[in-house]
Amino acid sequence: MMAADSDPESEVFEITDFTTASEWERFVSRVEEVLNDWKLIGSSGGKHPEKGDYTNGTWEEKNQEINFADFKFCIAHNYLKQEASENEGKEEPEEDAFPAAMQDLLCMNNDFPPRAHCLVRWYGIREFVVISPGANCEAIISESKCNLLLSSVSIALANTGCQVPVFVQIQHKWRRMYSGECQGSGVRTDFEMVHLRKVPSQYNHLAGLLDIFKSKIGCPLTPLPPITIGIRFTYILQDWQQYSWPQQPPDFDALLSGEVGGVEFGKLPFGACEDPISELHLATTWPHLTEGIVVDNDVYSDLDPLQAPHWSVRVRKADNPQCLLGDFLLEFFKLCLLKESTEELLGRNTVEEEGKENADISHALSKLTEPTAVPISKLSVSNMVHSARKRIRRHRRVNESPLNNDVLNSILLYLFPDAATDKPTDATAAKAKQGNPDGKTEQEKEPEDYNLFNQFKSAPSDSLTYRLALCTCMVNFYHGGVRAVAHLWQEFVLEMRYRWENNYLIYGLAGGTPDLRCCLLHQKLQMLNCCIERKRARDDSRQKSASPEGVRERKVSGQENGRLMSEGTSLSPAAAATEVSPGKSWESWSDSEDEFFECLSDTDELKEAAVEGTKDASKAKPEGRLQTHGKLTLLNHDEPLYIPVTQEPAPMTEDTLEEQSEVLAKLGTSAEGAHLRARMQSACLLSDMESFKAANPGCSLEDFVRWYSPRDYVEEEEETDEAGQTVVKGDLSARMKIPGNMWVEAWETAKATPARRQRRLFDDTKEAEKVLHYLAVQKPADLTRHLLPGLLHAAVLKVKEEEAREDILSVRKAIQQVISHASKLLRHPSPDYKKVEDLINQVMVLEAVIACARSLKAKFGVGKSERGGEEDELERFVSSLLEEPEVTVLGAGRGPAGSIIHKLFVSSQRVADFSDEAALLAPLEEDGGRQVGAEDRKPPSAGGVPDFPPPAGREVILRTCVPRPAPYSKALPQRMFCVLMREEFRLAGAFSSDTSFF
């Protein structure tokens, strides 16, 4: 209820206190306070808005809630932000100047703005206040309530002197009905509105609208001052049948038949499956007419769209057009939400004949340790895996396999092209030959795009993980969904097991330690490759040790400036092999002994080392020397200081690093915990100390520090010895002398043992089995989460590639925003998948924009015109259609773009006229690049069919300046905006009157 309630205190004292403010008075006061707070008091002026300001300028809005009793209202201030000139602030507005809103009523610079508030379009004003019912409040429908609100507005404007028009929204919101008022010095403008569902027949033309306008202003002058008329007719084109959609669909037959090569699997599809442009709106405008110039009544009309001086076009895009890349991404993303494992999807494989022998691949390792009469060479893991794989395929019927063999083989050859070469072990050479025919790497071609994996935390675009993401996505979309993905993953894991067993390097992975910038799956594969490299190097070393030439130690390069002070001091994977005693023949090493070299405690080498340990250290035989360390000599001897052959630190993936950090953190901050933590972290240090002692018999801790950490050896003074040579004296740094120093303890416990006899810091067998187990237990949903960053990386590269062909500035900017958003989102260990879905939707929007560009270029014949000037103009026109809400057609209907638009409408009209069979069979005109002449405007075969359909919307602006209400009143601006559509008739009038001389 909006009526004012009686004051609660009046019921207590049983009197009526008329000095107490009513709810209505409080509401009026609250409106005045808001107008004061927004500084809308006093006269309003300013320069006239320039042409295009309403479209290109910045509109701002302020909102505040006010109450009328318990009824909530929202009051909003909308205004065009204008830059104040230097002289504008100094000039004082004239006393009798009209309010800015009244001046805007007659301004013709911004008629029919394509993107603005409805009140701006109807009244042409640049600033206004709207009072509307709050959220979840009923509409103001009754006439009494409407009048009460208008009275409140009128009082507030009069009390404050505000010259900004204030509107009240009445009726239901969907009707967009407003009533308002603007007050100035001795003048007032009333804003009124009429809204009907159907257009009355007598007002369905310009003549009838002029009659309404003249009767409303009621001007007593004769003759009536001239009325300025602005007219816009809008025509809608929906039929594109005369143009085939240029998007080429993917070759499903080739995909389904398995005839898929690396090129097809390596490329994501792109483009819309349907025309993304649903409608073209042509607005023909007559901006400045007078009553006597044009005739438009119920019998005849001069308003021919071809004769309109101004044409403008806007396109309406289809709602959520189906796009290939977007569908690929969304279908792949849905796999993240599944919970089924590979076994649940593919079914457990039973073995009838062989029963318990080795049906399950996961039992392959345990089978190796079981007592059996079969030779151990036949019980290798690879034999177990491949016998199991054969039984899987034999017992799974052909029609049950999600992937047929042809498609599966094509995918595996794309993932592992080295399998088809003569030397599959040389993966690096095969990769260089196959992937870079021009001799340039992907990184050299586009370094910015190549390094995108660092921001997405995915994998390089030339890596196995990247290709696996593309294949998995295509298999999911084309070849059976999640079951096919599970099948492919199972085959992939078996391939990894096979390569590990047979010492085949994994194709498509960079050498070295796992790259922590990449996704975890890529790191795991790199770790497996590291294990294969170490195993191959160790096997090569043992083969050489069994040869007649004898033992030849594998060495690594060193640095003279200290091992901790520079990069490159660690062993390379190929050079980090642990050596085997020459007394141990190659045939005597079984697979099991090969995997666990450090367990051989009874070898001849260890016995020999034990005997030598009892002798004088300075007279021990040096072992494991790499090279001399410059000119340095041992402090206690004149022997040169040698850099030893050392073990390379164990590579780790990010999950292993995190686990290690958690274990170390749980040790606490106590002295005992800190000591234990230091011992755990000193395994590599102890290994290097033992290697150093073996290479430099009789050395001291100071010698080791001089090589390993030169900054911890402080040179104090120079002295001259008996021979007259200068000798530099030095000592350990302060931190090395701290009691209980871990370096001192490690040095005391370290034995002179070369790297080839030490326990391995990196157990490649154990780590490889960890990786293979990790891969085997991954569900399809887990695999999808690992590969999703790589697929988004590929999608962004695809969008960039397609955008480069079309050259769309807005898409270029949006791509950078997507990359920035993705780099923040995907680097998180557990990204918010709702935000990931939003990211996919952003990519889909970009795909749709590029598809729209191609659609428009096809329709307007861009690239077909023989005239260079027309070609450039059409390209600019199409580009503007994508960037701007409405684009002016240069030359209207006679320009290159206008001629094509006219042709499109003519063709559409032919198709629409089903009654004229000849029109349907008539040949279409030439391609859109041709200039349409006057003889082409009325096709002779059209049989009287008009070139354009009836206008979907007609808008008319009527303006004049007349004295009102009396002949001696001031001449004030009057305006009426008329909208005539099929199911809407609206009149929005602004009628000014003189409040001083009436």
Side-chain angles (χ1 to χ4, degrees), residues 909-956:
Q909 285 294 95
R910 288 192 195 181
V911 175
D913 186 27
F914 293 104
S915 60
D916 190 351
E917 190 173 343
L920 290 173
L921 299 176
L924 296 179
E925 296 178 16
E926 296 178 7
D927 286 338
R930 187 171 69 87
Q931 180 79 20
V932 179
E935 66 277 4
D936 296 322
R937 300 192 188 282
K938 299 286 184 181
S941 62
V945 178
D947 290 1
F948 291 88
R954 292 172 289 166
E955 297 169 288
V956 179

Side-chain angles (χ1 to χ4, degrees), residues 231-270:
I231 301 176
R232 167 172 286 204
F233 284 4
T234 301
Y235 301 88
I236 297 179
L237 177 65
Q238 296 175 314
D239 185 10
W240 308 105
Q241 293 181 11
Q242 66 274 23
Y243 284 96
S244 61
W245 174 227
Q247 173 67 34
Q248 294 295 326
D251 190 353
F252 291 100
D253 294 334
L255 289 167
L256 295 174
S257 64
E259 299 174 2
V260 180
V263 175
E264 287 79 6
F265 267 111
K267 292 185 178 180
L268 288 172
F270 191 89

Side-chain angles (χ1 to χ4, degrees), residues 734-975:
R735 76 184 187 102
M736 288 293 178
K737 297 180 180 180
I738 298 175
N741 184 279
M742 183 53 60
W743 286 54
V744 177
E745 293 185 7
W747 181 260
E748 292 175 354
T749 57
K751 299 178 181 179
T753 309
R756 62 188 176 87
R757 294 179 182 165
Q758 296 175 8
R759 181 185 180 90
R760 280 183 284 162
L761 293 176
F762 177 59
D763 189 341
D764 50 72
T765 306
K766 179 180 178 182
E767 293 299 327
E769 291 302 332
K770 281 183 179 180
V771 171
L772 292 170
H773 175 73
Y774 179 86
L775 298 179
V777 299
Q778 294 297 298
K779 299 179 180 179
D782 301 326
L783 174 65
T784 305
R785 295 188 187 102
H786 285 305
L787 297 179
L788 192 58
L791 189 63
L792 288 172
H793 175 194
V796 169
L797 290 181
K798 184 66 176 178
V799 173
K800 292 185 74 172
E801 175 189 343
E802 299 294 332
E803 185 279 327
R805 299 176 184 174
E806 307 300 332
D807 191 21
I808 308 171
L809 179 61
S810 61
V811 174
R812 260 200 310 277
K813 294 180 180 178
I815 289 174
Q816 297 305 319
Q817 295 176 356
V818 169
I819 293 175
S820 176
H821 185 195
S823 62
K824 297 175 183 176
L825 181 62
L826 298 178
R827 296 190 68 82
H828 194 275
S830 301
D832 185 349
Y833 286 100
K834 177 62 179 171
K835 294 182 179 179
V836 173
E837 188 175 7
D838 294 340
L839 190 67
I840 294 175
N841 291 331
Q842 293 178 29
V843 175
M844 293 172 63
V845 169
L846 299 182
E847 182 183 16
V849 172
I850 295 175
C852 288
R854 292 178 175 169
S855 174
L856 291 173
K857 287 183 177 180
K859 290 175 175 57
F860 285 93
V862 175
K864 299 178 182 178
S865 177
E866 298 178 356
R867 302 179 184 178
E870 288 186 4
E871 179 73 18
D872 295 340
E873 184 177 330
L874 288 174
E875 284 188 5
R876 286 193 297 268
F877 177 74
V878 169
S879 177
S880 300
L881 277 177
L882 295 171
E883 307 285 343
E884 301 173 13
E886 190 171 283
V887 181
T888 301
V889 180
L890 297 178
R894 297 170 180 80
S899 301
I900 296 172
I901 294 170
H902 175 224
K903 172 182 167 297
L904 290 172
F905 274 99
V906 170
S907 301
S908 177
Q909 285 294 95
R910 288 192 195 181
V911 175
D913 186 27
F914 293 104
S915 60
D916 190 351
E917 190 173 343
L920 290 173
L921 299 176
L924 296 179
E925 296 178 16
E926 296 178 7
D927 286 338
R930 187 171 69 87
Q931 180 79 20
V932 179
E935 66 277 4
D936 296 322
R937 300 192 188 282
K938 299 286 184 181
S941 62
V945 178
D947 290 1
F948 291 88
R954 292 172 289 166
E955 297 169 288
V956 179
I957 301 177
L958 304 176
R959 298 184 183 88
T960 189
C961 195
V962 299
R964 190 171 176 266
Y968 49 81
S969 302
K970 290 181 181 178
L972 300 174
Q974 319 292 329
R975 172 185 171 122

Side-chain angles (χ1 to χ4, degrees), residues 418 424-434 505-509 511 533:
D418 60 325
T425 55
D426 195 0
T428 305
K431 176 180 175 182
K433 182 177 178 181
Q434 189 254 6
L505 288 174
I506 303 172
Y507 178 89
L509 296 177
E533 287 178 346

Side-chain angles (χ1 to χ4, degrees), residues 57 155 165 174 207 248 367 457 462 492 714 734 791 801 849 860-861:
I155 294 173
W174 64 267
Q248 294 295 326
K367 294 293 294 181
K457 198 171 177 60
D462 56 353
F492 184 87
V714 182
L791 189 63
E801 175 189 343
V849 172
F860 285 93

